[in-house]
Amino acid sequence: MADATFQHTLAIVKPDATEHSAQIRNFIQKSGLTIVQYRRVHLMLEQASDFYNEHSGKSFFPILVSQMSSDVLDVMVLAGLDAVDTWKSLIGPTDPEKAKEEAPESLRAIYGESSIKNSVHGNDSVVGAELESHFFFFSSGSPETCPGGQG
């Protein structure tokens, strides 16, 4: 088995689950991951389209972009050993129904409503995490932080 690697990853609490954000952040911290950056933002439709550009042209793209720009979301950079895989494990499968069967303690099993309104977002790779973190925290076009959303 390979040695664990210290990593960063991006975590998003989607608009459909921000009412549970405190519980989700607590869940993250209990897992051993550390929240090193946090922002509450409201994406404009164009920003959501840019963020999910890899899904452009897919049938669910307009619904996803609309949902992600419908209200505030909480964005975090998480750090820890194997953070990408740890976060993916914590959130569970994309479809909450599948998550309830395969990972009943996962965030999507607990808070997810559908494949689009599945409560949280995570990366598939360290490179993806880096790019997505840059989008929210370090680029000149980063969404503005909402009042009370910096931690």
Side-chain angles (χ1 to χ4, degrees):
M1 183 173 185
D3 290 333
T5 305
F6 187 83
Q7 301 171 337
H8 290 91
T9 193
L10 185 80
I12 300 175
V13 178
K14 294 181 176 183
D16 57 280
T18 54
E19 68 187 272
H20 305 291
S21 194
Q23 296 98 313
I24 292 170
R25 288 193 311 269
N26 188 43
F27 192 88
I28 290 167
Q29 291 168 329
K30 285 183 177 180
S31 77
L33 294 173
T34 301
I35 300 169
V36 294
Q37 292 194 353
Y38 167 83
R39 294 178 71 196
R40 175 164 277 193
V41 300
H42 191 157
L43 293 178
M44 299 294 104
L45 193 61
E46 183 178 332
Q47 291 170 318
S49 292
D50 289 346
F51 183 73
Y52 282 107
N53 188 45
E54 69 185 79
H55 299 299
S56 180
K58 296 180 182 171
S59 62
F60 62 85
F61 181 74
I63 297 166
L64 175 63
V65 168
S66 176
Q67 194 266 338
M68 290 299 287
S69 60
S70 67
D71 204 346
V72 296
L73 46 137
D74 291 336
V75 185
M76 298 164 275
V77 174
L78 309 179
L81 294 177
D82 294 328
V84 172
D85 286 339
T86 300
W87 177 237
K88 282 175 23 182
S89 175
L90 292 174
I91 67 178
T94 301
D95 181 347
E97 292 306 315
K98 187 174 182 181
K100 287 173 185 171
E101 292 173 18
E102 296 178 8
E105 302 296 317
S106 69
L107 292 170
R108 287 178 172 155
I110 297 167
Y111 301 112
E113 299 173 30
S114 69
S115 289
I116 298 293
K117 292 184 175 186
N118 61 5
S119 70
V120 289
H121 169 87
N123 307 104
D124 288 334
S125 69
V126 173
V127 172
E130 197 173 301
L131 291 171
E132 290 185 359
S133 295
H134 184 23
F135 178 90
F136 282 102
F137 291 97
F138 307 111
S139 74
S140 59
S142 292
E144 292 186 28
T145 301
C146 294
Q150 194 102 11

